[in-house]
């Protein structure tokens, strides 16, 4: 599954579109590993937009604000941090279920070391 991520980097006046390809399940079948991959992918998309060509950067699931918002019959995941913002979706998944999974993923990441995504 290809997930589109719209990225805006602070200090610019345009957004770019990146893609996450690491999720194979459809949104209504997501598990926490899929949600983690999306959040890490969104952070990597932001980093790539700010620092093109750098690979194997660390993704720590902390230090950003997030929201799940209804949009066009699905929901969006939006994250914001000092670097900028990223929005992915819309996804066909229950808003409350996705919010619960994101909350669990972020809570678990507070006790785990950051991961390096290749």
């Amino acid at each position: 599954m290809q997930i589109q991520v719209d990225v805006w980097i602070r200090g610019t006046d345009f957004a770019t579109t990146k893609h996450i390809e690491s999720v194979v399940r459809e949104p209504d079948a997501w598990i926490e590993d899929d949600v983690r991959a999306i959040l890490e992918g969104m952070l990597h998309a932001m980093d790539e937009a700010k620092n093109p060509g750098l690979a194997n950067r660390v993704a720590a699931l902390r230090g950003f604000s997030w929201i799940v918002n209804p949009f066009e019959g699905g929901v969006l995941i939006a994250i914001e941090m000092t670097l900028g913002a990223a929005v992915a979706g819309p996804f066909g998944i229950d808003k409350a279920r996705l919010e619960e999974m994101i909350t669990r993923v972020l809570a678990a990441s507070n006790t785990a070391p950051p991961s390096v995504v290749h």
Side-chain angles (χ1 to χ4, degrees), residues 28-85:
D28 61 348
W30 281 349
I31 61 174
E32 289 173 19
D33 288 340
D34 299 314
V35 172
R36 179 178 295 102
I38 292 167
L39 294 173
E40 288 175 351
M42 292 172 75
L43 294 174
H44 282 286
M46 292 174 72
D47 185 57
E48 173 64 25
K50 177 70 175 177
N51 304 296
L54 295 181
N56 297 329
R57 305 264 297 188
V58 174
L61 294 181
R62 46 188 165 264
F64 61 89
S65 300
W66 63 274
I67 188 169
V68 175
N69 215 23
F71 184 77
E72 293 184 356
V75 295
L76 300 173
I77 301 172
I79 62 175
E80 190 216 354
M81 58 194 318
T82 305
L83 177 62

